[in-house]
Amino acid sequence: MSTMTNAKGKSSQISNYGKKIHPEREVKTVLQQPKRVFISSLIIIFIAIVLNTIGAHFNAQNHFLKNVINNQTSELPITLDEVDSSSKNGYSFLVNNGDNNTDSLPLQEEGNSHQVNFESQKDKSDVNAAEEKVIYSFLATTEQDIDQLSIYEQPCSPTGYRYESSIGSAPETCGITFTDHLLDQDQVNKLRTMAAKYIELFGETTTTNRESLNLQWINLHTLFRKAPKKSLLSDDEYELLINASVAAKSVTSMAFGIPEDRLFFTTVCQFTRYEPVAAFSEFRHIDKVRSPELIVTSILWLSTVDVDFEGGRLEFLNGPGDEKFNPYLIEPKKGRYAAWTSSHENPHGVHELYNGERLALIFAFTANPKFGHSTIESLRTWATLKKPSFYY
Ligand SMILES: O=C(O)CCC(=O)C(=O)O
Ligand SMILES: [Fe+2]
């Protein structure tokens, strides 16, 4: 502290911090200190005693819990390590109906089955440890050559086709139809090249309202719109699309008893590509719930499972038997065409893709002329208008 003299000659002390302190007050503060120290010490001792007691209690409880856990785990039949290594990525498929050249649908036959081992490339360590076996039934395997039009019939959803019934366009028969001979192999190969090329150039993807994050697609109407400007899509390519669409419509009409002039191509006519760009994300769905205007959904696969990609089988949940949601698989195969009625009789989804590229051409049909086009040519005319009336 230093001493200053003010203008009136009275002196006062100034603390080192420049704060004035009244002398009597300072004396009082100094006198109070021993009492404070004493009370503080008492409080600290009290807190220490309390903490010590609580700590001892927790220690005892921890010890008790540890014993309980140890006793329990030692009685478990498996250890945590074993749980971690039980994989879900290695599948064995029980293939029934392994008959190679079936003319008619090989439904519900017992026996005649073989195991196809499928090893995921995604995680070898998982595969090696895999004990789990998932057993599926197959509607069509890659070894089969479906040389006729096969139909797996299902009762039509009683409420699914109200609108179509009101205009006399409901399907006579519902279910899934398929054939490996919609087009010749040369045409299929050219379509495959187109699919790869146009998806690479213009492919779209989205996380909403689609089967999978892995899915990319290019709608034909988008392609038609881009084509004139960028001199894409040769006459041959266009003709090929028309051939495929005419064949797809004729098969659909025949299989489900819907007259051809009641079937219209929707804007969901598109090339698709699945690639394993993301982890498992498939969801099962009903096409007509997603898009109420649909009556039949169809697909021409342009690649083959276990040749061009692994995983990616199409699963219908309406397999034979009384059980609900009984999986029934179709193996995608280059040139294989499948069409299914779009309502509740056909819940389905695409299995996770592990590697490779799964290409396809989809034609989705509606019976509502407001939402579709009678030919691919008219879809193109609409698409290349300056202002097409709607998109979805
Ligand atoms: O890609 C497939 O195999 C089926 C796709 C699908 O479910 C659909 O387009 O509605
Ligand atoms: Fe679908």
Side-chain angles (χ1 to χ4, degrees):
M1 290 193 191
S2 55
T3 306
M4 261 183 83
T5 308
N6 66 16
K8 287 185 181 165
K10 269 195 173 178
S11 72
S12 64
Q13 285 181 328
I14 300 196
S15 74
N16 290 338
Y17 302 106
K19 193 180 168 188
K20 271 190 189 176
I21 300 173
H22 200 279
E24 295 98 79
R25 219 187 268 169
E26 194 178 23
V27 172
K28 200 176 163 195
T29 307
V30 171
L31 282 178
Q32 277 176 343
Q33 269 178 1
K35 199 173 159 193
R36 268 198 190 166
V37 169
F38 178 71
I39 291 170
S40 304
S41 305
L42 275 184
I43 291 172
I44 288 168
I45 290 166
F46 177 73
I47 291 174
I49 291 169
V50 169
L51 283 180
N52 199 28
T53 316
I54 293 174
H57 177 72
F58 270 107
N59 264 345
Q61 207 176 29
N62 262 349
H63 188 66
F64 173 74
L65 281 177
K66 267 182 202 157
N67 279 341
V68 170
I69 291 168
N70 283 338
N71 285 339
Q72 277 182 353
T73 50
S74 62
E75 282 163 20
L76 284 175
I78 47 170
T79 67
L80 204 61
D81 287 349
E82 282 168 328
V83 173
D84 281 344
S85 64
S86 78
S87 158
K88 289 191 168 53
N89 282 332
Y91 294 99
S92 289
F93 294 108
L94 180 68
V95 182
N96 63 26
N97 321 314
D99 189 353
N100 270 1
N101 274 308
T102 36
D103 292 345
S104 59
L105 254 194
L107 290 179
Q108 302 183 38
E109 283 170 20
E110 295 289 324
N112 198 19
S113 59
H114 66 276
Q115 296 265 326
V116 175
N117 284 318
F118 172 72
E119 283 202 346
S120 163
Q121 297 299 309
K122 207 171 70 172
D123 192 339
K124 288 280 184 191
S125 61
D126 274 358
V127 173
N128 292 338
E131 287 297 313
E132 189 181 359
K133 290 205 170 23
V134 179
I135 302 201
Y136 284 112
S137 298
F138 285 75
L139 200 49
T141 67
T142 49
E143 297 102 53
Q144 289 175 298
D145 177 28
I146 315 291
D147 59 359
Q148 295 192 345
L149 192 59
S150 296
I151 300 183
Y152 173 52
E153 279 192 37
Q154 287 289 316
C156 294
S157 158
T159 53
Y161 300 97
R162 278 209 202 102
Y163 166 76
E164 289 79 2
S165 297
S166 76
I167 58 165
S169 300
E172 268 173 19
T173 307
C174 286
I176 306 158
T177 189
F178 48 97
T179 177
D180 290 346
H181 295 270
L182 185 80
L183 300 173
D184 65 41
Q185 277 303 310
D186 182 50
Q187 289 183 310
V188 171
N189 286 338
K190 284 182 179 149
L191 283 169
R192 176 187 164 117
T193 307
M194 285 173 71
K197 177 168 91 179
Y198 291 121
I199 288 171
E200 198 54 42
L201 280 172
F202 308 117
E204 298 175 46
T205 193
T206 179
T207 55
T208 55
N209 207 20
R210 299 301 305 226
E211 287 72 36
S212 170
L213 289 171
N214 301 0
L215 176 64
Q216 273 202 300
W217 76 91
I218 169 81
N219 286 325
L220 296 189
H221 69 85
T222 311
L223 187 57
F224 295 150
R225 216 172 10 263
K226 290 179 187 289
K229 216 161 65 191
K230 307 206 172 179
S231 50
L232 289 165
L233 204 68
S234 68
D235 289 349
D236 279 358
E237 287 178 327
Y238 182 49
E239 207 172 299
L240 204 51
L241 285 176
I242 293 179
N243 278 352
S245 69
V246 168
K249 190 184 206 177
S250 137
V251 162
T252 297
S253 160
M254 220 183 320
F256 303 121
I258 311 165
E260 283 203 41
D261 62 0
R262 302 290 176 99
L263 284 173
F264 303 92
F265 293 95
T266 68
T267 48
V268 191
C269 290
Q270 57 194 198
F271 287 114
T272 59
R273 180 179 74 188
Y274 285 88
E275 278 184 330
V277 293
F280 185 77
S281 55
E282 169 260 348
F283 69 90
R284 277 102 175 224
H285 62 277
I286 289 161
D287 295 335
K288 208 170 175 38
V289 170
R290 203 172 61 180
S291 310
E293 70 282 2
L294 293 186
I295 186 167
V296 171
T297 314
S298 77
I299 184 162
L300 174 68
W301 284 292
L302 302 170
S303 6
T304 304
V305 64
D306 285 344
V307 174
D308 302 302
F309 60 89
E310 284 186 305
R313 289 168 174 86
L314 175 60
E315 177 188 66
F316 285 90
L317 292 173
N318 54 5
D322 294 335
E323 296 293 345
K324 281 192 165 182
F325 310 122
N326 186 22
Y328 216 16
L329 306 192
I330 299 190
E331 295 202 299
K333 183 175 176 180
K334 196 171 68 169
R336 176 167 287 167
Y337 175 75
W340 55 93
T341 46
S342 307
S343 196
H344 293 75
E345 65 277 358
N346 279 324
H348 61 279
V350 177
H351 281 190
E352 180 184 6
L353 204 71
Y354 298 115
N355 57 46
E357 194 176 66
R358 182 191 192 268
L359 295 165
L361 173 59
I362 286 178
F363 291 112
F365 298 95
T366 179
N368 186 340
K370 271 201 275 178
F371 289 102
H373 303 268
S374 53
T375 60
I376 290 296
E377 289 95 322
S378 60
L379 178 76
R380 185 184 204 181
T381 307
W382 165 81
T384 48
L385 289 175
K386 273 228 158 66
K387 281 189 183 163
S389 47
F390 66 89
Y391 296 109
Y392 62 93

